[in-house]
Amino acid sequence: MTRKLELHWKILIGMITGLLFGLIMKNLELNGLVVDWIKPFGTIFINLLKMIAVPLIVVSLIVGLADLKDISKLSKLGGRTVLIYLGTTIFAVSLGLVLANIVKPGRFINGASRQSLLESFSGDASQKIELAERAKMSGPLQPMIDIVPDNFFQALSDNGSMLQVIFFVILLGIGLILIEEEKAKPVVDFFKGLNEVIMKIIDIIMLFSPYGVFSLMAALMVEIPDFTTLAALGIYGLTVLFGLLIMIFVLYPTLLMVFAKVNPIRFFKAIAPAQLLAFSTSSSAATLPVTMECVTEHVGVDEEVSSFILPLGATVNMDGTSMYQAVAAIFIAQAMLPQALDLQTQLMIVVTATLASIGSAAVPSAGMVMLVIVLGQAGIPEAGLALIFAIDRPLDMCRTVVNVTSDATVATIVAKSVGKLNQFPQDKKL
Ligand code: ASP
């Protein structure tokens, strides 16, 4: 009897074999071979996911909004979503601050390691600082201006303009709700058909996922700095990891049980492919198509809700990132400043890290660029970024899992609150 292996197991096998393969190649000093011949398949896989993300957002959001049939439902949905997103983010930053103040990871780094990290990674750090400077130069209302596109087609062609796309599509959806049903119907029907097609394309792309993940992990293994560099940052890394684990295994399960009456184990099983992809790609945006599919088809959140909440969440809701920013800021302050940060500065970090995580793009290491702004506001030397560079990639992978889990959790809770959750419908294999 042959039983089809579930997708998340295949991805997991791809991940582990990729890591092992990378390790062997690294030991054989065949790094170049992996970078030239294996890594491109990982890049192709990420490109495929990104390629489908914008069409998916546009089409499913139009279908979802048109199905709402009532503007007041949209504002209710929007209000709840934003509130819960903000709530979980503020919790995450506060948790990060508490952990970093208790563990004091900055005190574990000795003078020699500090010097060597600062020297080795100062170039990489100044690149990020420059990127952040550019983001900082604009006025306080710039983020608001940035949401409104001056050219929708330009926004469509730029994966970094997801919020602009969402803005326009919401207007389109509102337009469809407000016009006569008879006139709206052919438009909505067209997009419903297209939606099915896009979902099918995602299924096809996912067939490739175990191989894509294998390549990404093998490339990661040969490109990561060596173990001694990572070991110096061990306590800092473990503090971030511990915080992320609390979010995943305590916060979200509690929220799911209390507010959505959902069994967390079944929930995690349903979204496992999205979590594994988040880990492998370090990008919530690239993972979005799979998150949408898992949350809609496996968890049972109605598309009306998921099509609105998940794209928004991928761009603005980053609990893992904000938690990491809080720990990283305190770590750098402890390692670089003679005195501890006062309470007022730490409270400022809650505000800036919350805003910074909202402003972070859903792509690898974006959280680190925005961390520069958090450091600047708190008077912590930005050059300290060089300290955490070596370990950023593995932590990025882990915080992206939390970002995606948070989006899926909030979508489930909001769906339950508006009666749009049909828990774990007959599981359709991806
Ligand atoms: N890689 C993260 C994401 O895509 C953002 C970050 O923390 O760098 O969600």
Side-chain angles (χ1 to χ4, degrees):
M1 188 182 77
T2 52
R3 211 171 86 83
K4 244 183 108 197
L5 203 57
E6 283 176 89
L7 183 73
H8 59 270
W9 289 117
K10 289 190 195 160
I11 300 178
L12 201 64
I13 293 171
M15 215 163 180
I16 295 169
T17 46
L19 283 172
L20 289 176
F21 179 75
L23 193 66
I24 296 171
M25 295 303 266
K26 191 176 176 136
N27 280 324
L28 295 175
E29 293 181 9
L30 291 172
N31 297 9
L33 212 70
V34 175
V35 172
D36 288 345
W37 295 98
I38 305 286
K39 190 180 172 185
F41 295 100
T43 312
I44 291 174
F45 177 56
I46 293 195
N47 285 353
L48 285 169
L49 288 170
K50 287 193 191 155
M51 171 190 86
I52 205 70
V54 172
L56 171 70
I57 294 175
V58 173
V59 173
S60 66
L61 195 51
I62 291 176
V63 172
L65 290 174
D67 276 346
L68 280 178
K69 297 195 177 74
D70 183 352
I71 305 276
S72 67
K73 276 197 205 155
L74 176 63
S75 55
K76 198 160 120 190
L77 210 65
R80 278 184 200 179
T81 306
V82 170
L83 267 182
I84 308 181
Y85 275 162
L86 257 183
T88 55
T89 305
I90 293 173
F91 176 89
V93 185
S94 313
L95 175 70
L97 286 178
V98 169
L99 286 178
N101 278 294
I102 295 176
V103 180
K104 297 197 174 35
R107 300 284 176 246
F108 288 87
I109 187 153
N110 61 32
S113 323
R114 182 173 55 202
Q115 208 46 40
S116 107
L117 285 168
L118 284 176
E119 275 163 19
S120 320
F121 294 99
S122 67
D124 299 309
S126 43
Q127 267 178 15
K128 301 277 177 208
I129 294 171
E130 221 170 274
L131 279 176
E133 286 302 329
R134 257 181 261 156
K136 244 194 319 194
M137 291 229 291
S138 31
L141 290 186
Q142 191 62 37
M144 224 161 103
I145 301 177
D146 287 344
I147 293 177
V148 186
D150 62 353
N151 182 332
F152 175 59
F153 292 97
Q154 210 170 335
L156 271 184
S157 63
D158 174 10
N159 280 334
S161 304
M162 216 122 59
L163 278 184
Q164 297 193 344
V165 173
I166 294 174
F167 179 84
F168 180 82
V169 176
I170 288 179
L171 282 182
L172 204 75
I174 292 176
L176 279 173
I177 294 175
L178 292 180
I179 64 173
E180 278 170 46
E181 205 176 328
E182 184 192 319
K183 298 224 169 81
K185 195 170 179 309
V187 182
V188 177
D189 283 347
F190 167 76
F191 281 109
K192 279 192 170 154
L194 199 54
N195 199 22
E196 292 292 316
V197 177
I198 290 179
M199 286 299 194
K200 221 359 117 210
I201 297 178
I202 296 173
D203 284 348
I204 297 170
I205 295 175
M206 288 307 284
L207 293 177
F208 181 60
S209 61
Y211 310 101
V213 166
F214 172 90
S215 323
L216 289 170
M217 290 297 110
L220 173 84
M221 209 61 202
V222 299
E223 285 176 338
I224 213 162
D226 60 30
F227 191 71
T228 37
T229 321
L230 293 184
L233 295 167
I235 301 290
Y236 156 72
L238 287 177
T239 312
V240 175
L241 261 181
F242 184 60
L244 296 177
L245 289 175
I246 293 184
M247 311 275 301
I248 293 249
F249 290 111
V250 181
L251 178 68
Y252 303 130
T254 311
L255 291 177
L256 282 166
M257 284 190 294
V258 174
F259 295 107
K261 309 273 176 288
V262 161
N263 177 340
I265 297 176
R266 293 188 71 188
F267 174 84
F268 282 129
K269 198 165 167 242
I271 65 160
Q275 289 178 315
L276 292 171
L277 276 196
F279 185 79
S280 320
T281 60
S282 279
S283 166
S284 323
T287 311
L288 183 62
V290 184
T291 319
M292 297 267 267
E293 181 147 322
C294 290
V295 169
T296 313
E297 293 182 4
H298 295 248
V299 179
V301 172
D302 203 296
E303 201 173 2
E304 285 167 31
V305 177
S306 62
S307 64
F308 169 69
I309 296 185
L310 292 174
L312 194 70
T315 18
V316 305
N317 181 49
M318 297 195 180
D319 294 353
T321 301
S322 55
M323 213 282 311
Y324 142 85
Q325 285 173 336
V327 178
I330 301 292
F331 168 73
I332 296 174
Q334 287 167 349
M336 309 269 296
L337 297 176
Q339 78 287 7
L341 292 180
D342 56 25
L343 188 66
Q344 200 184 344
T345 316
Q346 301 220 16
L347 290 178
M348 262 297 280
I349 294 182
V350 177
V351 180
T352 49
T354 302
L355 293 176
S357 73
I358 293 174
S360 300
V363 296
S365 95
M368 199 182 201
V369 174
M370 297 308 273
L371 175 63
V372 176
I373 296 176
V374 179
L375 296 179
Q377 294 277 344
I380 304 166
E382 289 151 355
L385 209 61
L387 288 180
I388 57 169
F389 221 95
I391 205 175
D392 196 62
R393 183 62 208 253
L395 293 183
D396 190 3
M397 296 159 73
C398 300
R399 63 189 189 240
T400 309
V401 176
V402 173
N403 293 345
V404 167
T405 309
S406 171
D407 297 341
T409 303
V410 176
T412 309
I413 292 172
V414 176
K416 175 77 180 181
S417 79
V418 291
K420 295 283 177 192
L421 178 66
N422 163 27
Q423 279 194 39
F424 311 112
Q426 191 51 41
D427 261 18
K428 171 179 157 289
K429 299 278 173 290
L430 278 170

